[in-house]
């Protein structure tokens, strides 16, 4: 019988994809309003190109975007984008409507709870703090080195160890087949895919099947008794 | 007769010293609450040491602070500090009570208005946007290179040029004798020192005397008719 439930963070405990999409839209609107000489569509397209080539954690997205648009860099316009991006990002840094009730119910039923996420440790902890979730978990493992990142077994094994449970008694819940499901299964855990929400990564093809599929986090409570 | 008024930004349009002091206090409190094994006083002292040796724009203040305290780096504790710092900083990023009314009155009286500030251009524009002041100025000059930074004459001359006025018809308002007053006087402007607020830099010794001293920004309106 399962005694612990591990969660992915992004697109599992909150709607990261929606948050980032709206934040970028908001940034582009603000930059156009601040005088950027381009249409919102052109600017949006340019920003997408920068993000897909430079990755999401690049610090000079807007400078590169202006270059692509052939517009002179203006600190006023870039600052308008930065402020709008951060304000929108913060406004949507809220748990899914059933995240807290699900975590509370799991803890009341005696399960150990943990997080297994990839990312920059301080950044992932910032999210947990701003989401109001920092006290809900018995273990939080943030994999920041390539050899530790999911689907590596290491962060899953580490989380089980920190919780003091066997991997086979752990349930891993995440949106990504290629990361959460593959890694958890290889570590000997039960894998639940959260296939709802706006996560685009949930569609990434992968041969590994999850043991269970849920479309809302709250449905986990119906599945757990049978695991 | 003066036809333009230039303003320094930090500690002139808003209370930067108060903001930064409270943000650091808030960060330390949050880190201690998150489990930092030190007293608030010890932590505050360590943070002060880091800031004074590494400068205010260093990105790893908290890591260094934990080193000084001999405590292992914890992303949870650092993230608690980062979140508290930014939340407090944002809460206190508000204009002085008389900033907006003073700017409005100057514009209504027909003065051109500008900003002459040192700093990172995007960061200074972010402040103007968050302060709600981005539309109040006919020119904003941010000096980021050492040879442009106040008390260099360059940013003052540039602001006058952008406003289309002679330097001798400009009034510069700022808290710092060594930067705002020295630079403005050398550029041929009238210098007004804002000597109130919590600015600690206003006490930096300097042989140059301002033409006028005011203790609240609103008092500028009483001084202007005689300039």
């Amino acid at each position: 019988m399962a005694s612990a439930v591990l969660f992915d963070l992004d697109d599992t405990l909150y709607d990261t994809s929606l948050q980032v999409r709206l934040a970028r839209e908001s940034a582009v609107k603000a930059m156009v309003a601040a005088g950027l000489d381009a249409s919102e569509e052109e600017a949006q397209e340019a920003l997408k190109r920068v993000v897909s080539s430079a990755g999401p954690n690049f610090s000079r997205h807007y400078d590169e975007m202006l270059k692509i648009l052939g517009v002179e860099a203006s600190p006023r316009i870039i600052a308008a984008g930065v402020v709008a991006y951060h304000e929108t990002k913060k406004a949507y840094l809220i748990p899914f409507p059933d995240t807290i009730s699900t975590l509370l119910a799991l803890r009341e039923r005696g399960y150990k709870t943990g997080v297994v996420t990839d990312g920059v440790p301080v950044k992932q902890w910032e999210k947990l703090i701003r989401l109001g979730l920092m006290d809900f978990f018995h273990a939080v493992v943030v994999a920041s080195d390539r050899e530790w990142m999911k689907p590596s077994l290491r962060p899953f094994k580490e989380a089980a160890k920190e919780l003091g449970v066997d991997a086979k008694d752990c349930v891993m819940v995440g949106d990504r087949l290629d990361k959460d499901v593959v890694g958890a299964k290889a570590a000997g855990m039960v894998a639940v895919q959260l296939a709802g929400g706006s996560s685009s990564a949930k569609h990434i093809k992968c041969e590994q099947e999850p043991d269970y599929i849920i479309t809302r986090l709250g449905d986990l409570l119906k599945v757990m008794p049978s695991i």
Side-chain angles (χ1 to χ4, degrees), chain A residues 1 11-12 18 45 47 58 66 76 81 83 126 147 157 163 166 187 207 220:
Chain A
M1 233 185 74
D11 276 324
T12 297
L18 177 71
E45 199 46 52
L47 185 53
F58 180 55
L66 296 189
R76 179 191 166 111
V83 171
E126 267 192 64
E147 65 265 35
K157 296 272 192 192
L163 295 178
D166 284 342
E207 296 206 348
L220 191 62

Side-chain angles (χ1 to χ4, degrees), chain A residues 177-178 181-183 185-186 191 193 205-211:
Chain A
L177 291 173
D178 61 326
V181 172
V182 168
K185 296 287 285 181
Q193 187 193 17
K205 287 237 169 75
C206 171
E207 296 206 348
Q208 186 69 66
E209 295 274 327
D211 297 298

Side-chain angles (χ1 to χ4, degrees), chain A residues 163-211:
Chain A
L163 295 178
V165 299
D166 284 342
K168 69 170 172 39
D169 296 327
C170 290
V171 175
M172 173 70 197
V173 184
D175 63 310
R176 296 187 65 155
L177 291 173
D178 61 326
K179 295 220 158 218
D180 303 309
V181 172
V182 168
K185 296 287 285 181
M189 298 180 175
V190 176
V192 176
Q193 187 193 17
L194 177 65
S198 19
S199 164
S200 46
K202 72 189 175 196
H203 299 301
I204 292 173
K205 287 237 169 75
C206 171
E207 296 206 348
Q208 186 69 66
E209 295 274 327
D211 297 298

Side-chain angles (χ1 to χ4, degrees), chain A residues 3-199:
Chain A
S3 58
V5 187
L6 303 174
F7 295 87
D8 168 49
L9 202 179
D10 294 302
D11 276 324
T12 297
L13 295 175
Y14 81 105
D15 201 337
T16 316
S17 294
L18 177 71
Q19 178 205 32
V20 172
R21 180 166 63 75
L22 293 180
R24 290 200 185 121
E25 282 178 21
S26 177
V28 162
K29 269 184 207 297
M31 291 169 86
V32 170
L36 175 63
D37 189 17
S39 71
E40 284 185 19
E41 292 70 27
E42 290 165 341
Q44 200 65 256
E45 199 46 52
L47 185 53
K48 261 189 204 155
R49 276 177 57 193
V50 177
V51 173
S52 69
S53 72
N57 285 324
F58 180 55
S59 69
R60 297 176 66 81
H61 280 146
Y62 301 130
D63 301 75
E64 284 299 314
M65 176 186 151
L66 296 189
K67 263 192 210 162
I68 289 179
L69 292 168
V71 174
E72 210 192 332
S74 146
R76 179 191 166 111
I77 291 176
I78 292 175
V82 170
V83 171
Y85 182 84
H86 285 297
E87 288 304 301
T88 305
K89 207 164 169 189
K90 231 182 70 180
Y92 286 89
L93 190 47
I94 44 172
F96 279 122
D98 48 4
T99 296
I100 291 177
S101 58
T102 304
L103 291 172
L104 272 174
L106 290 171
R107 301 260 310 208
E108 276 172 14
R109 294 186 194 176
Y111 292 104
K112 295 276 181 188
T113 54
V115 168
V116 178
T117 177
D118 289 346
V120 178
V122 171
K123 297 269 177 204
Q124 297 303 83
W125 268 107
E126 267 192 64
K127 291 179 193 171
L128 288 175
I129 291 169
R130 290 188 185 276
L131 287 164
L133 299 178
M134 66 282 189
D135 293 320
F136 276 89
F137 303 99
H138 302 95
V140 174
V141 177
V142 184
S144 54
D145 300 331
R146 194 160 291 274
E147 65 265 35
W148 267 81
M149 284 166 78
K150 297 183 280 186
S152 163
L153 312 191
R154 289 190 193 179
F156 298 98
K157 296 272 192 192
E158 173 64 23
K161 194 181 125 196
E162 287 186 22
L163 295 178
V165 299
D166 284 342
K168 69 170 172 39
D169 296 327
C170 290
V171 175
M172 173 70 197
V173 184
D175 63 310
R176 296 187 65 155
L177 291 173
D178 61 326
K179 295 220 158 218
D180 303 309
V181 172
V182 168
K185 296 287 285 181
M189 298 180 175
V190 176
V192 176
Q193 187 193 17
L194 177 65
S198 19
S199 164

